[in-house]
Amino acid sequence: MSLKMFRLLPAVCLAAALQVHAAEKPKAAPPAPAVTDPYAEVQPATETLDLAMYQRIRDEGLSHSHVMEFGTALMDGIGSRLTGSPNLAKANAWTRDTLTKIGLENAHLEDWGEFGLGWTQLNTWARLTVPDTAPLIVQATPWSPSTPGPVTGEVVFVNIQTDKDFDQYKGKLAGKVVLFGAMREVPPVDKALFERYTDQELADMAEFPVNAGGAGPGGIPPEMQARLRERMERLRLIDKIAQFFADEKVAAVIEPSRDARNGGGSGGTFFDDNGATLGRTPYIAEKAVKVPVVVAAIESYGRLYRLTQAHAPVSVEVDVETKVTGEHEHGYDTVAEIPGTDPKLKEQVVMVGGHLDSWIAGTGATDNGAGTIVAMEAVRILKALNVKPRRTIRIALWTGEEEGIFGSKGYCTIHFGSAKTSTAPDQLQLPEFMRRSAGPLEVKPEQKLISGYFNVDNGSGKIRGIYTQGNTAIAPIFAQWIAPLKDLGVTTITNRNAGGTDHLSFDAVGIPGFQFIQDPLDYETRTHHSNEDVVERLQPADLKQIATVEAIFLYNAAQRDQMLPRKPLPQPDLEEKRRAPIEGIFPGVAPAADKK
């Protein structure tokens, strides 16, 4: 808090009073330490490691862990944490208060901006009524409206792939329960749904692939371009389809659950993530879905689909009970600190975190309750050992990650910098985090004070190494850090990038941001965004190991003389120009400018 300005005393004050006032005036604050340019620091070849502290952290983290206490309190005690929901507000408050309880300072919530609808599911069920009676495995898709109590309707299959397909359904869907989505193959589960990396897989991961060619504009491979075009076409149609169903007054919509790796999206497992929501941004009040939508386990959907294809009479009764708790809810990140103690380094910060929000089908245990509770446990370990770090250690638990890494991006924009994104028509069809930059990166003073950020968001599997995100200068540093951890299975450094989560927000503004390599377990096969994302899928021994490794990384980064090395400052506005072919170098071919 800044000091208030003192008003000058009137000239009529006594000399003695003036002397007292002078004596009580606060001394001028010492000059702030000079901000070191993290891009210019010379990095030592050999790290100074406190192996005694390694042992103390291991003992506390592996033998006196509280990580599962955090886990059951968060997942069982609060439950799913959809962005904007009352449950997420509870989780924000619980993490703030718990971090204070375990000894961190300045625990608070930071507003990253308006999100949209606050929403919660109260109850959802559906059952087949014709030609038989049978319960169906369904759940409301996030931000679905309610039905007006239980409703029964004839089931029809609707297939809309292009604008021409709407005409065949006009005037035919009133009061119907619509099946929307192709019936996919349901392969047998003939591969393990639970796996750990083999030594060979880790060795392959450590090799950095150099792509000699095949990339198109912007460095995107042709197959990725094709997928992006397909996604953009679906995004263009989906809002139109949602409005069409509302105009036709359908009773409800049933969508099939997607599959998962190794055929894990079967056996009653279903997924309720972005692919199931009927709309690009159903959490925005002005674009809210106007018809009730549920996602069904593929076996439930399959029976309904086959009956419609046989032209057999089929009816379903469905009841969706949801509640909108606000139309313009804001998002908040939970932030707390262990203050630094070195006079020259305490203004610098090492960060750790994960995202607190989740989808609703389960309780968000592996995605990303695991990342949340191991970050909390890592800082608890350091506080339990009464560590006095040279740099400040800051934990941040993000929200809005599932909708587009909103929380961490908002935090980085407020504190560290940002670049404007393109408003070209084709770019506006994409989520904001996927849009091309249209201006230079503008950094703020705090950007130079963040040494690095460490993130966990790949489930409950133990740490096997770390992605450097292309930061080759840090690879030999991390190799020395993990050498004493090989008995815990931490062996691999790879210069490959990892995508899809909050460390990208830091990397985008020139701050070293890292995701750990984790054993896959059943994350991509069964739990990621599914009704199986529950406490039973957490692996306590793995979580202990993750928190211990994170605590050691935080300690090392906080104690070393130098900040972590950085890659060159990003220049997002120049990426296309830097990748463009050099004109005029082919013999006998005039540059394009000369042809005009």
Side-chain angles (χ1 to χ4, degrees):
M1 182 181 295
S2 59
L3 293 173
K4 294 181 178 179
M5 297 293 292
F6 290 101
R7 303 182 77 129
L8 292 175
L9 292 175
V12 296
C13 285
L14 297 173
L18 288 171
Q19 292 172 355
V20 170
H21 174 71
E24 291 179 349
K25 284 179 66 177
K27 296 180 180 179
V35 176
T36 302
D37 183 356
Y39 292 97
E41 285 192 288
V42 177
Q43 299 290 333
T46 303
E47 291 290 288
T48 301
L49 302 180
D50 185 346
L51 296 181
M53 182 57 72
Y54 268 64
Q55 178 58 48
R56 293 180 65 202
I57 291 173
R58 287 173 63 126
D59 179 64
E60 180 64 28
L62 301 178
S63 301
H64 306 95
S65 175
H66 293 267
V67 70
M68 287 306 295
E69 292 177 38
F70 293 145
T72 55
L74 178 61
M75 270 66 82
D76 292 335
I78 296 176
S80 64
R81 302 169 301 281
L82 189 69
T83 301
S85 69
N87 267 14
L88 186 56
K90 291 179 184 177
N92 272 135
W94 176 81
T95 50
R96 177 198 61 205
D97 296 345
T98 302
L99 290 168
T100 299
K101 190 171 297 184
I102 62 177
L104 272 72
E105 299 183 21
N106 192 29
H108 63 284
L109 306 182
E110 290 203 19
D111 187 337
W112 49 259
E114 183 175 317
F115 169 70
L117 293 177
W119 180 93
T120 188
Q121 177 175 228
L122 304 175
N123 185 31
T124 297
W125 58 266
R127 69 187 186 99
L128 182 68
T129 58
V130 175
D132 188 13
T133 57
L136 302 172
I137 302 174
V138 302
Q139 191 171 96
T141 60
W143 304 290
S144 166
S146 297
T147 57
V151 295
T152 301
E154 178 188 352
V155 176
V156 296
F157 175 71
V158 171
N159 182 23
I160 298 176
Q161 299 295 326
T162 69
D163 290 312
K164 297 179 181 178
D165 296 329
F166 286 96
D167 290 342
Q168 62 181 304
Y169 299 109
K170 284 182 178 178
K172 301 177 182 178
L173 300 180
K176 300 292 197 295
V177 174
V178 168
L179 301 185
F180 180 66
M183 179 59 196
R184 60 174 173 81
E185 292 293 322
V186 184
V189 181
D190 57 359
K191 296 180 181 178
L193 298 183
F194 188 98
E195 298 176 306
R196 294 190 184 276
Y197 283 126
T198 64
D199 290 342
Q200 185 58 55
E201 287 172 327
L202 290 170
D204 292 343
M205 196 179 299
E207 294 291 327
F208 185 79
V210 178
N211 186 0
I220 303 174
E223 62 275 12
M224 178 64 75
Q225 294 180 54
R227 287 199 296 270
L228 282 174
R229 284 194 295 269
E230 181 181 338
R231 175 179 172 81
M232 288 174 67
E233 177 61 17
R234 174 175 168 79
L235 289 174
R236 186 189 68 81
L237 272 179
I238 196 68
D239 288 336
K240 189 175 180 180
I241 292 169
Q243 185 61 51
F244 177 72
F245 287 157
D247 293 341
E248 293 294 307
K249 296 181 173 55
V250 305
V253 175
I254 301 177
E255 296 201 347
S257 172
R258 64 171 173 83
D259 202 359
R261 188 174 296 170
N262 293 356
S266 61
T269 297
F270 61 86
F271 302 85
D272 70 335
D273 47 19
N274 281 318
T277 56
L278 191 65
R280 284 188 296 173
T281 52
Y283 48 83
I284 302 298
E286 294 76 16
K287 297 184 178 180
V289 178
K290 300 177 181 64
V291 296
V293 185
V294 301
V295 59
I298 196 62
E299 293 86 356
S300 291
Y301 190 86
R303 184 177 184 184
L304 300 178
Y305 173 81
R306 289 187 294 275
L307 287 166
T308 63
Q309 298 309 292
H311 305 291
V314 52
S315 295
V316 161
E317 183 181 19
V318 59
D319 185 19
V320 178
E321 295 181 62
T322 63
K323 182 179 180 181
V324 172
T325 57
E327 291 193 348
H328 301 283
E329 297 297 307
H330 278 231
Y332 298 88
D333 300 321
T334 305
V335 182
E337 294 178 338
I338 303 175
T341 58
D342 187 304
K344 294 182 179 180
L345 301 180
K346 65 182 180 181
E347 300 301 320
Q348 297 177 8
V349 179
V350 178
M351 294 189 66
V352 65
H355 71 87
L356 183 58
D357 63 303
S358 74
W359 292 102
I360 66 165
T363 57
T366 68
D367 187 26
N368 187 25
T372 292
I373 61 177
V374 296
M376 295 175 69
E377 173 68 359
V379 294
R380 185 207 66 81
I381 290 169
L382 298 177
K383 283 301 298 183
L385 298 176
N386 198 30
V387 168
K388 305 292 185 185
R390 299 177 70 191
R391 291 181 179 83
T392 293
I393 294 173
R394 181 181 299 161
I395 180 174
L397 305 173
W398 317 110
T399 60
E401 190 272 353
E402 296 293 2
E403 294 75 34
I405 58 176
F406 292 151
S408 59
K409 184 178 186 296
Y411 183 90
C412 287
T413 297
I414 292 167
H415 291 276
F416 308 136
S418 62
K420 293 180 180 179
T421 55
S422 173
T423 56
D426 66 319
Q427 293 295 298
L428 290 177
Q429 296 295 321
L430 298 171
E432 185 178 359
F433 71 95
M434 293 178 64
R435 292 179 197 164
R436 186 171 58 243
S437 293
L441 176 64
E442 298 180 0
V443 297
K444 298 182 178 181
E446 282 186 72
Q447 191 259 11
K448 287 190 175 183
L449 296 175
I450 307 298
S451 180
Y453 170 73
F454 299 100
N455 194 78
V456 163
D457 186 17
N458 281 326
S460 181
K462 69 182 180 180
I463 289 175
R464 305 303 302 276
I466 194 166
Y467 299 94
T468 73
Q469 208 69 20
N471 188 341
T472 57
I474 209 165
I477 296 171
F478 285 164
Q480 293 174 70
W481 289 12
I482 70 172
L485 301 175
K486 288 186 178 179
D487 64 313
L488 295 182
V490 189
T491 60
T492 304
I493 308 293
T494 178
N495 287 320
R496 299 185 186 194
N497 293 345
T501 191
D502 293 293
H503 69 290
L504 297 179
S505 297
F506 290 81
D507 188 65
V509 293
I511 295 171
F514 307 103
Q515 176 83 358
F516 290 97
I517 301 168
Q518 295 175 255
D519 270 337
L521 307 187
D522 51 0
Y523 184 64
E524 293 290 352
T525 59
R526 185 162 58 165
T527 72
H528 186 223
H529 301 173
S530 84
N531 58 324
E532 286 291 316
D533 192 7
V534 291
V535 168
E536 285 77 6
R537 302 280 82 81
L538 295 176
Q539 301 301 317
D542 288 40
L543 295 174
K544 291 179 184 180
Q545 186 259 20
I546 298 172
T548 300
V549 173
E550 271 200 326
I552 288 171
F553 269 69
L554 287 174
Y555 180 81
N556 287 344
Q559 296 301 103
R560 70 194 307 267
D561 291 335
Q562 299 78 19
M563 296 178 75
L564 299 177
R566 296 187 173 196
K567 298 183 292 187
L569 189 69
Q571 296 178 300
D573 56 318
L574 300 180
E575 279 300 304
E576 287 194 44
K577 182 177 180 180
R578 294 170 72 183
R579 286 194 173 100
I582 301 173
E583 290 194 8
I585 65 169
F586 200 91
V589 178
D594 297 341
K595 294 179 181 179
K596 295 180 181 178

